[in-house]
């Protein structure tokens, strides 16, 4: 039932009852975080069990022994291990640091279950646990869609529940500059539509995260992805401006001008201010997706490149030479920024594109371009983390993300050929939540529960790879996450009810339960084709926004086919086939009209499934023409409509295969 799975678990005999006498004693060096973590656990267990611990006797049931105070600023690689022993008499949690205690308490909390005897209990066991990777992060883009502080906090709670330890805060991009700057106030005043975190709020989040064993790494994406900076400070740009906050998505032309020496004075002060605000030793400068257009077109930049040997002193450079010169210019920019980041006491981090052999080796490369790129980085002596394969906005399944390992080539499935030293420079991974098509209302449902599967990939031993086992535990952890305040479940009925208006929600839910949103590129394409490309202002209130990234119903249905549970398969297919009748009246509303073909497809797919099931039940092979026509229908039904796909098409396709293989 645990997620992430501990490194070592030995089951004992019996169970520890959790009743009103439950109490926690803390010994060892006092770090206030240990007591607050224990108090949070007590409060949540009280809520879950309905018990009040205040009124019970005071002898400790769970004893916590923490050997040291943690570092003043949580460090990369700080000891996070713990040992938990539970017998029917009591539980003992020992750890070298408060971080270990917090991890142990997260484990303990997952172990509390309704007892088969009476009330609630924890099974007797011994766990010795430590993470596989020391960098286990969640990245959240708060620029494209604004994420209020409550969203951040509740997700920090959920991160702690699955032992993630880095919150990567993507704070600026073309669409918004989200932190108050006292040094350069036009950054947030003109670059954010008033949607930004005050410095006090930033400190509040950092303190909240620290209490939960989570580091906060800020990202200010430069020199591209920086339009929101240029609105207030157009003089930093490589083109004259004026600039407006980006309302659409993609790779934009506006870029900072590395040839402008005033830029470095500006960045010096800015990084200084932010380095004071964010205590973590890492500072992320983004660095991704610079198209170089404005650099190529700016004569001053061209002069600068010639002077610095990035272009020949004379002649008109061709396209390739310009591209190379722009890469060199960005490398030059990165060098200058690196000096500033170091001057302010930080280590630099950036996406793959900042990789250049000249940069000092203590920077961290965040690879969104794949294990090969990550492998190259660590072979050159850099440190790195993997994010390729962990992009939530692609709407892939938890199982797919789970199968991606920072040390394994996803194509060949072979472990990267790296020396032990090189391997040790792969620090871990980060799940990425980009928010082009996500709002504060549905963001939790995009993050959870899938992120828990990746949290296990980063924490548990490399040999823990059984997807079926993962899914069984993911379902449980997903339920448990409600207790941490994330709204991945809660937002769903509300969004569906709103869509249904005054009509019945049930038939809409039946459809919604088996569809999945298309990923980032599918949504962009649909927006373009509709003639209304998405912008920051497009309402994200349709079925595609309510639908869950991975249909639990479809997965359950697929499992029923695997188990040859034909009665249940028939029941499910019949319900889907019949749904259209009750749903049809609802689909007359303007917001649901787009679902008419989706609902029709569901009926058709379910009908086909029932026919296939009849063949299977009768052990009769269908005529080749039937199979061919069925497959053609399924291929058509698999195509996205209204930006959703029907997730039972694949299992029904398997059913058709089963029928035709008899
Ligand atoms: C990225 O996805 N552009 C880092």
């Amino acid at each position: 039932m645990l997620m992430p799975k501990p490194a070592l678990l030995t089951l004992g005999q019996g169970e520890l009852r959790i009743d009103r006498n439950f109490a926690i004693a803390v010994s060892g060096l006092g770090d206030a975080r240990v007591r607050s973590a224990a108090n949070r656990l007590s409060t949540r267990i009280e809520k879950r069990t309905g018990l009040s611990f205040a009124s019970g006797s005071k002898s400790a049931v769970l004893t916590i022994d923490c050997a040291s105070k943690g570092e003043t600023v949580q460090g990369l690689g700080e000891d996070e291990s713990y040992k938990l022993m539970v017998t029917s008499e009591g539980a003992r949690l020992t750890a070298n640091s408060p971080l270990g205690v917090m991890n142990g308490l997260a484990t303990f909390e997952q172990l509390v279950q309704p007892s088969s005897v009476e009330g609630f209990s924890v099974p007797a066991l011994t766990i010795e646990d430590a993470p596989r990777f020391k960098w286990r992060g969640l990245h959240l883009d708060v620029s494209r869609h604004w994420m209020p502080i409550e969203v951040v906090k509740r997700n920090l709670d959920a991160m702690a529940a699955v032992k993630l330890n880095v919150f990567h805060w993507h704070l600026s991009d073309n669409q918004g500059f989200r932190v108050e700057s006292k040094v350069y106030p036009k950054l947030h005043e003109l670059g954010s539509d008033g949607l930004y975190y005050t410095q006090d709020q930033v400190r509040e989040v950092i303190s909240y995260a620290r209490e939960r064993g989570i580091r906060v790494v800020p990202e200010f994406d430069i020199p591209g992805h920086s339009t929101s900076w240029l609105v207030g400070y157009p003089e930093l740009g490589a083109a004259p401006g004026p600039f407006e906050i980006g309302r659409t998505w993609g790779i934009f032309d506006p870029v900072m001008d590395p040839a402008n020496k005033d830029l470095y004075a500006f960045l010096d002060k800015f990084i200084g201010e932010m380095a004071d605000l964010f205590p973590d030793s890492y500072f992320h400068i983004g660095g991704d997706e610079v198209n170089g257009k404005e650099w190529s077109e700016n004569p001053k930049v061209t002069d600068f490149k010639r002077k610095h040997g990035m272009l020949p002193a004379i002649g008109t450079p061709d396209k390739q030479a310009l591209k190379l010169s722009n890469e060199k210019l960005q490398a030059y920019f990165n060098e200058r920024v690196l000096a500033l980041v170091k001057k302010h006491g930080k280590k630099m981090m950036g996406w793959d594109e900042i990789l250049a052999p000249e940069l000092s080796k203590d920077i961290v490369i965040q690879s969104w371009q794949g294990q090969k790129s990550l492998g190259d980085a660590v072979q050159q002596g850099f440190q790195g983390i993997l994010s390729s394969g962990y992009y939530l906005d692609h709407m892939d399944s938890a199982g797919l993300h789970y199968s991606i390992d920072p040390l394994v080539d996803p194509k060949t499935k072979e472990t990267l050929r790296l020396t032990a030293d090189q391997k040790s420079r792969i620090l871990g991974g980060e799940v990425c939540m980009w928010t082009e098509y996500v709002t504060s209302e549905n963001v939790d449902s995009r993050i959870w529960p899938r992120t828990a599967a990746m949290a296990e990939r980063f924490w548990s031993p490399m040999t823990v790879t059984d997807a079926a086992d993962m899914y069984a535990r993911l379902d449980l952890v997903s339920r448990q996450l409600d207790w941490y305040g994330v709204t991945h479940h809660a937002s769903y009925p509300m969004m569906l009810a709103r869509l249904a208006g005054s009509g019945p929600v049930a038939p809409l839910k039946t459809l919604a339960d088996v569809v999945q949103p298309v990923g980032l590129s599918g949504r962009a394409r649909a927006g373009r084709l509709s003639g209304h490309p998405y912008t920051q202002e497009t309402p994200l209130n349709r079925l595609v926004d309510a639908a869950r990234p991975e249909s639990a119903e479809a997965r359950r249905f697929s499992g029923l086919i695997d188990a040859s549970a034909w009665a249940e398969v028939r029941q499910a297919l019949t319900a889907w086939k019949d749904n259209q009748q009750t749903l049809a009246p609802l689909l007359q509303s303007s917001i649901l009209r787009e679902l008419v073909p989706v609902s029709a497809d569901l009926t058709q797919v379910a009908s086909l499934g029932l026919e296939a099931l009849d063949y299977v039940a009768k052990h009769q092979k269908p005529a080749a023409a039937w199979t061919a026509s069925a497959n053609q229908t399924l291929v058509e039904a698999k195509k996205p409509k209204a930006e959703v796909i029907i997730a039972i098409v694949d299992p029904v396709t398997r059913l058709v295969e089963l029928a035709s293989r008899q």
Side-chain angles (χ1 to χ4, degrees), residues 221 225 288-289 351 353 368 391 434:
D221 204 344
H225 282 285
D288 55 322
E289 299 182 321
W351 301 99
E353 290 95 325
W368 67 290
Y391 268 36
W434 298 100

Side-chain angles (χ1 to χ4, degrees), residues 94-286:
T94 49
N96 288 327
S97 80
L99 303 179
V101 172
M102 291 182 225
N103 289 322
L105 291 176
T107 299
F108 187 87
E109 186 166 349
Q110 289 188 349
L111 292 167
V112 177
Q113 295 294 329
S115 163
S116 56
V117 186
E118 190 191 345
F120 288 77
S121 67
V122 171
L125 47 68
T126 302
I127 287 173
E128 282 184 71
D129 202 7
R132 176 176 168 214
F133 290 113
K134 51 191 166 192
W135 193 303
R136 306 180 305 281
L138 171 66
H139 156 284
L140 178 65
D141 168 12
V142 298
S143 177
R144 289 174 176 82
H145 277 99
W146 167 241
M147 297 293 155
I149 192 167
E150 306 77 52
V151 175
V152 172
K153 283 184 169 179
R154 69 189 187 226
N155 278 286
L156 287 168
D157 276 307
M159 285 173 68
V162 294
K163 303 182 174 67
L164 290 174
N165 68 354
V166 181
F167 175 58
H168 171 167
W169 213 352
H170 186 84
L171 286 162
S172 73
D173 213 302
N174 295 315
Q175 298 80 3
F177 188 98
R178 304 292 183 201
V179 179
E180 175 191 25
S181 168
K182 295 186 198 287
V183 180
Y184 294 111
K186 282 191 281 182
L187 286 172
H188 67 276
E189 284 170 2
L190 300 184
S192 77
D193 301 305
L195 300 173
Y196 63 90
Y197 309 101
T198 65
Q199 295 202 352
D200 280 342
Q201 286 177 321
V202 168
R203 280 187 279 270
E204 188 183 329
V205 165
I206 291 167
S207 153
Y208 196 88
R210 174 173 168 77
E211 287 280 313
R212 286 152 184 80
I214 298 169
R215 299 166 41 215
V216 177
V217 174
E219 177 185 351
F220 296 96
D221 204 344
I222 53 176
H225 282 285
S226 60
T227 312
S228 65
W229 300 57
L230 305 178
V231 180
Y233 299 94
E235 64 274 21
L236 304 180
F243 298 91
E244 284 178 13
I245 295 175
R247 301 298 175 192
T248 57
W249 329 124
I251 302 178
F252 291 9
D253 298 337
V255 64
M256 292 177 176
D257 176 4
N260 173 4
K261 67 176 175 10
D262 295 342
L263 172 66
Y264 303 101
F266 185 103
L267 290 175
D268 186 6
K269 276 202 206 156
F270 175 76
I271 293 171
E273 182 185 22
M274 292 303 140
D276 285 346
L277 182 60
F278 292 90
D280 197 82
S281 47
Y282 286 84
F283 193 89
H284 201 305
I285 65 144

